């Protein structure tokens, strides 16, 4: 949690988080995001405007994060560099996984996407 806390502090202090980002922020939650969406819909209805709402299922989003793209974005968009970026790169590099079922283990494969839990 130390790294997450430091990265979060850096992003907050540099004001790099979008205003309406609700996830992973103190005093924000899915309910605050829903209240904002509902408020916008009601404001549009009061103004006799049509409202369209598109919803996406992002439940597997973290499973598809490309490590190389993540590292570039952390450096270019969030100003994370030096030893912190090198540590994150080391943490994400050369990761492998296998599947075990009924005492049988598959071959190991390189992991280039996903956020380790």
């Amino acid at each position: 949690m130390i790294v997450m806390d430091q990265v979060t502090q850096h992003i907050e202090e540099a004001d790099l988080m979008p205003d309406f980002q609700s996830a992973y922020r103190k005093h924000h939650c899915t309910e605050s995001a829903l209240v904002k969406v509902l408020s916008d819909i009601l404001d549009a209805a009061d103004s006799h405007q049509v409202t369209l709402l598109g919803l996406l299922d992002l439940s597997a989003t973290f499973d598809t994060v490309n490590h190389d793209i993540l590292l570039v974005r952390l450096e270019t968009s969030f100003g994370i560099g030096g030893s912190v970026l090198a540590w994150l790169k080391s943490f994400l590099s050369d990761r492998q996984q296998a599947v075990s079922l009924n005492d049988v283990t598959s071959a190991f494969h390189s992991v280039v996407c996903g956020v380790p839990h």
Side-chain angles (χ1 to χ4, degrees), residues 100-114:
S100 292
L101 179 64
N102 295 331
D103 297 324
V104 177
T105 302
S106 71
F108 281 82
H109 294 279
S110 295
V111 177
V112 296
C113 291

Side-chain angles (χ1 to χ4, degrees), residues 5-70:
D5 291 342
Q6 290 178 347
V7 169
T8 301
Q9 181 180 353
H10 166 74
I11 290 171
E12 288 174 357
E13 287 176 357
D15 197 27
L16 296 171
M17 190 72 76
D19 290 339
F20 296 112
Q21 171 74 33
S22 290
Y24 313 109
R25 293 181 81 177
K26 289 180 184 176
H27 312 295
H28 289 265
C29 59
T30 53
E31 287 85 2
S32 61
L34 287 172
V35 167
K36 170 67 174 129
V37 170
L38 183 58
S39 175
D40 289 349
I41 291 170
L42 293 173
D43 286 346
D46 287 344
S47 301
H48 305 286
Q49 296 177 338
V50 175
T51 300
L52 299 175
L53 177 63
L55 301 173
L56 302 172
D57 178 5
L58 301 175
S59 58
T61 300
F62 288 113
D63 296 337
T64 62
V65 174
N66 180 284
H67 295 168
D68 292 333
I69 294 171
L70 173 63

Side-chain angles (χ1 to χ4, degrees), residues 69-100:
I69 294 171
L70 173 63
L71 293 168
V72 168
R73 286 291 311 269
L74 288 172
E75 184 175 22
T76 59
S77 298
F78 296 97
I80 295 172
S83 59
V84 174
L85 188 64
W87 183 84
L88 289 168
K89 183 176 183 178
S90 172
F91 180 74
L92 294 172
S93 296
D94 301 321
R95 297 185 74 85
Q96 295 192 338
Q97 69 181 16
V99 176
S100 292

